[in-house]
Amino acid sequence: FPQLTITQSQTWVPPQDGNVCIHVVGAGGGGSGQTALAYSGGAGAYGKIPTLAVTTSGSFTLVVGVGGAGGYNNGSGLTNGGNSSIAGTGLTGTKTAGGGGRGKGPSNGSQNGAGGSVSGSGEGWAGYTGGAGSSFGGGAVGIYATGQAAQGQPHVRAGMTDAQSGGLASSGYGIICGGSQASLAQYTVLGVYNFPNQGDDLCGGAGQYYSTLGGHYSHAADGGIGGGGGGCRNTNSASNAFGGRGGDGIILIQYLPW
């Protein structure tokens, strides 16, 4: 019973007849990089078709969202996460897991990115809104409830998915798995620079707060698959701050033994 991992938009023709479960994850939004407060990206939404009969004569249009670019130096280059969607034979319209919003810098509103939302209906399609970003990092993809936002005390970290751990490769038979650890936020002063760990699958990227001498670079962590990118704050206006990139979306198609 194959499990197909779709990472690029394409027209998909089923390789064999059978029943499939389809998971759709939107892309995460990018985090901002600036001298003021750090603003992080929201996670992509998650949607699921529990079971669908497919045949080799069918055809589906699969769109996989691209992760939002992180901003730098007070907002330049910052983008939202792209939508992921599926449409085709036997489906009622297009079903979409929306991409997460960007963490906006001073030049475009100064706010954390919202999580992506789910749209479409029919064939048992259901899902959850992605987690919002916060000053501590990007939001996470929610599989069983709305995705988690990044957390403050006592655990300063990006959003953590509620999916079973083990990573996407451990998914199968109607279940999607995620990362086992969210990215930890960083607070660094006077040039001792630690690059934050990147977000695991479906988890957000950590925020970075950096106070340094002029001319240095600081970078927040990227989100894992579907996760929001962390926001970066560098308090020295002569230095450079780069927000983390949002994680790309994904579509998993699992053939079922029932």
Side-chain angles (χ1 to χ4, degrees):
F1 298 94
Q3 173 171 272
L4 307 175
T5 303
I6 310 298
T7 59
Q8 294 183 329
S9 299
Q10 60 187 266
T11 298
W12 179 68
V13 175
Q16 63 189 57
D17 297 350
N19 294 323
V20 297
C21 175
I22 304 173
H23 308 269
V24 184
V25 178
S32 67
Q34 56 197 56
T35 55
L37 291 175
Y39 296 98
S40 303
Y46 165 75
K48 175 181 178 180
I49 300 172
T51 182
L52 179 71
V54 298
T55 68
T56 56
S57 62
S59 178
F60 297 83
T61 299
L62 307 180
V63 176
V64 178
V66 175
Y72 59 95
N73 294 356
N74 293 321
S76 300
L78 189 63
T79 60
N80 298 324
N83 298 339
S84 297
S85 65
I86 179 170
T89 306
L91 293 179
T92 306
T94 299
K95 305 179 194 325
T96 301
R102 59 186 179 173
K104 299 178 180 179
S107 64
N108 48 30
S110 294
Q111 65 185 46
N112 291 297
S117 58
V118 180
S119 64
S121 63
E123 294 75 51
W125 170 255
Y128 295 97
T129 299
S134 87
S135 59
F136 302 107
V141 178
I143 304 302
Y144 301 105
T146 298
Q148 186 185 80
Q151 304 295 299
Q153 299 294 340
H155 303 293
V156 183
R157 58 171 172 75
M160 175 74 176
T161 184
D162 60 357
Q164 177 179 319
S165 63
L168 286 169
S170 299
S171 305
Y173 300 120
I175 300 296
I176 183 172
C177 297
S180 60
Q181 182 174 346
S183 180
L184 298 177
Q186 298 286 334
Y187 180 91
T188 311
V189 295
L190 299 179
V192 182
Y193 176 55
N194 295 312
F195 196 96
N197 294 326
Q198 306 305 297
D200 282 350
D201 293 339
L202 310 182
C203 297
Q208 170 79 282
Y209 178 92
Y210 196 55
S211 176
T212 183
L213 302 176
H216 287 259
Y217 291 82
S218 55
H219 203 303
D222 299 336
I225 295 294
C232 182
R233 180 186 182 189
N234 192 326
T235 59
N236 192 310
S237 60
S239 297
N240 295 281
F242 293 85
R245 182 181 184 278
D248 292 335
I250 201 165
I251 297 175
L252 293 183
I253 301 175
Q254 301 164 340
Y255 275 84
L256 303 173
W258 54 80

mmCIF file of all heavy atoms in Angstrom, residues 91-128:
data_model
loop_
_atom_site.group_PDB
_atom_site.id
_atom_site.type_symbol
_atom_site.label_atom_id
_atom_site.label_comp_id
_atom_site.label_asym_id
_atom_site.label_seq_id
_atom_site.Cartn_x
_atom_site.Cartn_y
_atom_site.Cartn_z
ATOM 1 N N LEU A 91 -14.294 14.521 -6.712
ATOM 2 C CA LEU A 91 -14.281 15.511 -5.644
ATOM 3 C C LEU A 91 -15.275 16.640 -5.927
ATOM 4 O O LEU A 91 -15.470 17.042 -7.076
ATOM 5 C CB LEU A 91 -12.885 16.109 -5.475
ATOM 6 C CG LEU A 91 -11.806 15.169 -4.973
ATOM 7 C CD1 LEU A 91 -10.466 15.884 -4.887
ATOM 8 C CD2 LEU A 91 -12.179 14.582 -3.609
ATOM 9 N N THR A 92 -15.867 17.157 -4.862
ATOM 10 C CA THR A 92 -16.780 18.291 -4.953
ATOM 11 C C THR A 92 -15.974 19.587 -4.892
ATOM 12 O O THR A 92 -15.594 20.047 -3.807
ATOM 13 C CB THR A 92 -17.804 18.267 -3.802
ATOM 14 O OG1 THR A 92 -18.462 17.006 -3.793
ATOM 15 C CG2 THR A 92 -18.807 19.379 -3.939
ATOM 16 N N GLY A 93 -15.658 20.154 -6.014
ATOM 17 C CA GLY A 93 -14.912 21.404 -6.045
ATOM 18 C C GLY A 93 -13.478 21.264 -5.552
ATOM 19 O O GLY A 93 -12.935 20.162 -5.417
ATOM 20 N N THR A 94 -12.866 22.405 -5.297
ATOM 21 C CA THR A 94 -11.477 22.460 -4.826
ATOM 22 C C THR A 94 -11.445 22.541 -3.309
ATOM 23 O O THR A 94 -12.209 23.293 -2.695
ATOM 24 C CB THR A 94 -10.764 23.694 -5.416
ATOM 25 O OG1 THR A 94 -10.765 23.599 -6.843
ATOM 26 C CG2 THR A 94 -9.332 23.781 -4.919
ATOM 27 N N LYS A 95 -10.546 21.781 -2.716
ATOM 28 C CA LYS A 95 -10.375 21.783 -1.272
ATOM 29 C C LYS A 95 -9.000 22.371 -0.964
ATOM 30 O O LYS A 95 -7.997 21.926 -1.509
ATOM 31 C CB LYS A 95 -10.509 20.368 -0.712
ATOM 32 C CG LYS A 95 -11.844 19.724 -1.127
ATOM 33 C CD LYS A 95 -11.964 18.327 -0.609
ATOM 34 C CE LYS A 95 -13.093 17.552 -1.270
ATOM 35 N NZ LYS A 95 -14.290 18.279 -1.618
ATOM 36 N N THR A 96 -8.968 23.368 -0.076
ATOM 37 C CA THR A 96 -7.762 24.164 0.131
ATOM 38 C C THR A 96 -7.364 24.230 1.593
ATOM 39 O O THR A 96 -8.208 24.468 2.479
ATOM 40 C CB THR A 96 -7.980 25.600 -0.393
ATOM 41 O OG1 THR A 96 -8.313 25.547 -1.785
ATOM 42 C CG2 THR A 96 -6.732 26.445 -0.205
ATOM 43 N N ALA A 97 -6.070 24.031 1.846
ATOM 44 C CA ALA A 97 -5.448 24.318 3.139
ATOM 45 C C ALA A 97 -4.631 25.585 2.949
ATOM 46 O O ALA A 97 -3.599 25.575 2.271
ATOM 47 C CB ALA A 97 -4.571 23.161 3.603
ATOM 48 N N GLY A 98 -5.107 26.683 3.502
ATOM 49 C CA GLY A 98 -4.496 27.982 3.248
ATOM 50 C C GLY A 98 -3.117 28.138 3.870
ATOM 51 O O GLY A 98 -2.788 27.518 4.882
ATOM 52 N N GLY A 99 -2.314 28.995 3.258
ATOM 53 C CA GLY A 99 -0.991 29.298 3.784
ATOM 54 C C GLY A 99 -1.057 30.271 4.945
ATOM 55 O O GLY A 99 -2.003 31.057 5.082
ATOM 56 N N GLY A 100 -0.043 30.227 5.794
ATOM 57 C CA GLY A 100 0.039 31.132 6.937
ATOM 58 C C GLY A 100 0.448 32.540 6.525
ATOM 59 O O GLY A 100 1.119 32.749 5.511
ATOM 60 N N GLY A 101 0.039 33.511 7.326
ATOM 61 C CA GLY A 101 0.372 34.904 7.053
ATOM 62 C C GLY A 101 1.787 35.250 7.473
ATOM 63 O O GLY A 101 2.367 34.623 8.357
ATOM 64 N N ARG A 102 2.362 36.259 6.861
ATOM 65 C CA ARG A 102 3.701 36.751 7.203
ATOM 66 C C ARG A 102 3.667 37.541 8.502
ATOM 67 O O ARG A 102 2.647 38.108 8.883
ATOM 68 C CB ARG A 102 4.206 37.641 6.074
ATOM 69 C CG ARG A 102 3.307 38.837 5.810
ATOM 70 C CD ARG A 102 3.747 39.615 4.592
ATOM 71 N NE ARG A 102 2.842 40.735 4.352
ATOM 72 C CZ ARG A 102 3.048 41.667 3.437
ATOM 73 N NH1 ARG A 102 4.116 41.620 2.663
ATOM 74 N NH2 ARG A 102 2.184 42.659 3.286
ATOM 75 N N GLY A 103 4.805 37.551 9.194
ATOM 76 C CA GLY A 103 4.947 38.390 10.368
ATOM 77 C C GLY A 103 5.346 39.794 9.929
ATOM 78 O O GLY A 103 6.466 40.031 9.500
ATOM 79 N N LYS A 104 4.437 40.726 10.001
ATOM 80 C CA LYS A 104 4.642 42.046 9.385
ATOM 81 C C LYS A 104 5.545 42.952 10.216
ATOM 82 O O LYS A 104 5.366 43.086 11.414
ATOM 83 C CB LYS A 104 3.297 42.718 9.163
ATOM 84 C CG LYS A 104 2.381 41.936 8.239
ATOM 85 C CD LYS A 104 1.032 42.622 8.075
ATOM 86 C CE LYS A 104 0.117 41.822 7.155
ATOM 87 N NZ LYS A 104 -1.203 42.460 6.991
ATOM 88 N N GLY A 105 6.497 43.580 9.534
ATOM 89 C CA GLY A 105 7.386 44.550 10.169
ATOM 90 C C GLY A 105 6.780 45.943 10.191
ATOM 91 O O GLY A 105 5.641 46.151 9.760
ATOM 92 N N PRO A 106 7.547 46.949 10.674
ATOM 93 C CA PRO A 106 7.027 48.315 10.796
ATOM 94 C C PRO A 106 6.536 48.903 9.490
ATOM 95 O O PRO A 106 5.610 49.719 9.487
ATOM 96 C CB PRO A 106 8.237 49.092 11.325
ATOM 97 C CG PRO A 106 9.085 48.081 11.994
ATOM 98 C CD PRO A 106 8.907 46.824 11.202
ATOM 99 N N SER A 107 7.129 48.494 8.374
ATOM 100 C CA SER A 107 6.739 49.074 7.097
ATOM 101 C C SER A 107 5.402 48.542 6.571
ATOM 102 O O SER A 107 4.849 49.096 5.632
ATOM 103 C CB SER A 107 7.832 48.824 6.048
ATOM 104 O OG SER A 107 7.977 47.445 5.798
ATOM 105 N N ASN A 108 4.887 47.457 7.203
ATOM 106 C CA ASN A 108 3.632 46.895 6.692
ATOM 107 C C ASN A 108 2.676 46.436 7.788
ATOM 108 O O ASN A 108 1.897 45.522 7.592
ATOM 109 C CB ASN A 108 3.916 45.747 5.715
ATOM 110 C CG ASN A 108 4.926 44.749 6.242
ATOM 111 O OD1 ASN A 108 5.021 44.561 7.444
ATOM 112 N ND2 ASN A 108 5.676 44.126 5.358
ATOM 113 N N GLY A 109 2.758 47.063 8.956
ATOM 114 C CA GLY A 109 1.705 46.824 9.934
ATOM 115 C C GLY A 109 2.105 46.330 11.310
ATOM 116 O O GLY A 109 1.305 46.373 12.235
ATOM 117 N N SER A 110 3.323 45.822 11.489
ATOM 118 C CA SER A 110 3.814 45.381 12.800
ATOM 119 C C SER A 110 2.850 44.436 13.518
ATOM 120 O O SER A 110 2.232 44.781 14.527
ATOM 121 C CB SER A 110 4.120 46.588 13.691
ATOM 122 O OG SER A 110 5.190 47.336 13.181
ATOM 123 N N GLN A 111 2.731 43.207 13.017
ATOM 124 C CA GLN A 111 1.911 42.210 13.691
ATOM 125 C C GLN A 111 2.359 40.812 13.281
ATOM 126 O O GLN A 111 2.948 40.618 12.226
ATOM 127 C CB GLN A 111 0.435 42.398 13.370
ATOM 128 C CG GLN A 111 0.068 42.160 11.908
ATOM 129 C CD GLN A 111 -1.382 42.483 11.625
ATOM 130 O OE1 GLN A 111 -1.893 43.515 12.041
ATOM 131 N NE2 GLN A 111 -2.057 41.583 10.934
ATOM 132 N N ASN A 112 2.072 39.840 14.157
ATOM 133 C CA ASN A 112 2.398 38.454 13.856
ATOM 134 C C ASN A 112 1.450 37.893 12.802
ATOM 135 O O ASN A 112 0.314 38.344 12.654
ATOM 136 C CB ASN A 112 2.306 37.613 15.127
ATOM 137 C CG ASN A 112 3.401 37.949 16.112
ATOM 138 O OD1 ASN A 112 4.574 37.760 15.822
ATOM 139 N ND2 ASN A 112 3.027 38.471 17.276
ATOM 140 N N GLY A 113 1.944 36.887 12.060
ATOM 141 C CA GLY A 113 1.138 36.277 11.013
ATOM 142 C C GLY A 113 0.051 35.386 11.569
ATOM 143 O O GLY A 113 0.264 34.650 12.540
ATOM 144 N N ALA A 114 -1.118 35.430 10.947
ATOM 145 C CA ALA A 114 -2.221 34.540 11.318
ATOM 146 C C ALA A 114 -2.025 33.172 10.677
ATOM 147 O O ALA A 114 -1.340 33.031 9.661
ATOM 148 C CB ALA A 114 -3.552 35.136 10.865
ATOM 149 N N GLY A 115 -2.617 32.146 11.276
ATOM 150 C CA GLY A 115 -2.577 30.816 10.688
ATOM 151 C C GLY A 115 -3.481 30.723 9.472
ATOM 152 O O GLY A 115 -4.487 31.432 9.369
ATOM 153 N N GLY A 116 -3.138 29.852 8.535
ATOM 154 C CA GLY A 116 -3.964 29.627 7.365
ATOM 155 C C GLY A 116 -5.272 28.948 7.736
ATOM 156 O O GLY A 116 -5.382 28.299 8.786
ATOM 157 N N SER A 117 -6.277 29.074 6.889
ATOM 158 C CA SER A 117 -7.590 28.488 7.151
ATOM 159 C C SER A 117 -7.965 27.456 6.091
ATOM 160 O O SER A 117 -7.383 27.424 5.003
ATOM 161 C CB SER A 117 -8.660 29.579 7.227
ATOM 162 O OG SER A 117 -8.696 30.318 6.022
ATOM 163 N N VAL A 118 -8.950 26.625 6.415
ATOM 164 C CA VAL A 118 -9.398 25.540 5.543
ATOM 165 C C VAL A 118 -10.662 25.969 4.800
ATOM 166 O O VAL A 118 -11.547 26.598 5.377
ATOM 167 C CB VAL A 118 -9.704 24.275 6.370
ATOM 168 C CG1 VAL A 118 -10.175 23.141 5.481
ATOM 169 C CG2 VAL A 118 -8.474 23.848 7.145
ATOM 170 N N SER A 119 -10.737 25.635 3.514
ATOM 171 C CA SER A 119 -11.951 25.910 2.749
ATOM 172 C C SER A 119 -12.276 24.726 1.847
ATOM 173 O O SER A 119 -11.404 23.934 1.502
ATOM 174 C CB SER A 119 -11.800 27.184 1.920
ATOM 175 O OG SER A 119 -10.790 27.040 0.949
ATOM 176 N N GLY A 120 -13.547 24.629 1.459
ATOM 177 C CA GLY A 120 -14.018 23.506 0.657
ATOM 178 C C GLY A 120 -14.893 22.581 1.481
ATOM 179 O O GLY A 120 -14.953 22.687 2.705
ATOM 180 N N SER A 121 -15.588 21.667 0.806
ATOM 181 C CA SER A 121 -16.493 20.752 1.504
ATOM 182 C C SER A 121 -16.693 19.485 0.681
ATOM 183 O O SER A 121 -16.297 19.409 -0.481
ATOM 184 C CB SER A 121 -17.846 21.436 1.759
ATOM 185 O OG SER A 121 -18.470 21.765 0.535
ATOM 186 N N GLY A 122 -17.342 18.497 1.310
ATOM 187 C CA GLY A 122 -17.650 17.246 0.644
ATOM 188 C C GLY A 122 -16.593 16.197 0.854
ATOM 189 O O GLY A 122 -15.434 16.475 1.172
ATOM 190 N N GLU A 123 -16.994 14.926 0.680
ATOM 191 C CA GLU A 123 -16.095 13.774 0.778
ATOM 192 C C GLU A 123 -15.410 13.682 2.146
ATOM 193 O O GLU A 123 -14.285 13.191 2.266
ATOM 194 C CB GLU A 123 -15.035 13.771 -0.331
ATOM 195 C CG GLU A 123 -15.579 13.586 -1.727
ATOM 196 C CD GLU A 123 -16.252 14.856 -2.258
ATOM 197 O OE1 GLU A 123 -15.636 15.927 -2.208
ATOM 198 O OE2 GLU A 123 -17.397 14.759 -2.745
ATOM 199 N N GLY A 124 -16.079 14.169 3.196
ATOM 200 C CA GLY A 124 -15.532 14.097 4.543
ATOM 201 C C GLY A 124 -14.417 15.082 4.823
ATOM 202 O O GLY A 124 -13.774 15.011 5.873
ATOM 203 N N TRP A 125 -14.189 16.024 3.895
ATOM 204 C CA TRP A 125 -13.102 16.999 4.045
ATOM 205 C C TRP A 125 -13.285 17.818 5.325
ATOM 206 O O TRP A 125 -14.334 18.387 5.591
ATOM 207 C CB TRP A 125 -13.088 17.920 2.842
ATOM 208 C CG TRP A 125 -12.189 19.125 2.915
ATOM 209 C CD1 TRP A 125 -12.576 20.409 3.118
ATOM 210 C CD2 TRP A 125 -10.768 19.160 2.732
ATOM 211 N NE1 TRP A 125 -11.485 21.251 3.083
ATOM 212 C CE2 TRP A 125 -10.360 20.511 2.850
ATOM 213 C CE3 TRP A 125 -9.806 18.181 2.493
ATOM 214 C CZ2 TRP A 125 -9.032 20.905 2.728
ATOM 215 C CZ3 TRP A 125 -8.484 18.569 2.378
ATOM 216 C CH2 TRP A 125 -8.100 19.917 2.499
ATOM 217 N N ALA A 126 -12.241 17.867 6.149
ATOM 218 C CA ALA A 126 -12.254 18.648 7.386
ATOM 219 C C ALA A 126 -10.816 18.942 7.782
ATOM 220 O O ALA A 126 -9.875 18.288 7.324
ATOM 221 C CB ALA A 126 -12.973 17.885 8.501
ATOM 222 N N GLY A 127 -10.644 19.928 8.659
ATOM 223 C CA GLY A 127 -9.288 20.263 9.088
ATOM 224 C C GLY A 127 -9.287 21.392 10.083
ATOM 225 O O GLY A 127 -10.326 21.729 10.674
ATOM 226 N N TYR A 128 -8.100 22.010 10.255
ATOM 227 C CA TYR A 128 -7.930 23.009 11.303
ATOM 228 C C TYR A 128 -7.061 24.170 10.824
ATOM 229 O O TYR A 128 -6.159 24.001 9.995
ATOM 230 C CB TYR A 128 -7.296 22.372 12.539
ATOM 231 C CG TYR A 128 -8.170 21.335 13.177
ATOM 232 C CD1 TYR A 128 -7.988 19.989 12.892
ATOM 233 C CD2 TYR A 128 -9.204 21.704 14.035
ATOM 234 C CE1 TYR A 128 -8.814 19.029 13.462
ATOM 235 C CE2 TYR A 128 -10.039 20.746 14.599
ATOM 236 C CZ TYR A 128 -9.837 19.421 14.311
ATOM 237 O OH TYR A 128 -10.664 18.471 14.866
#
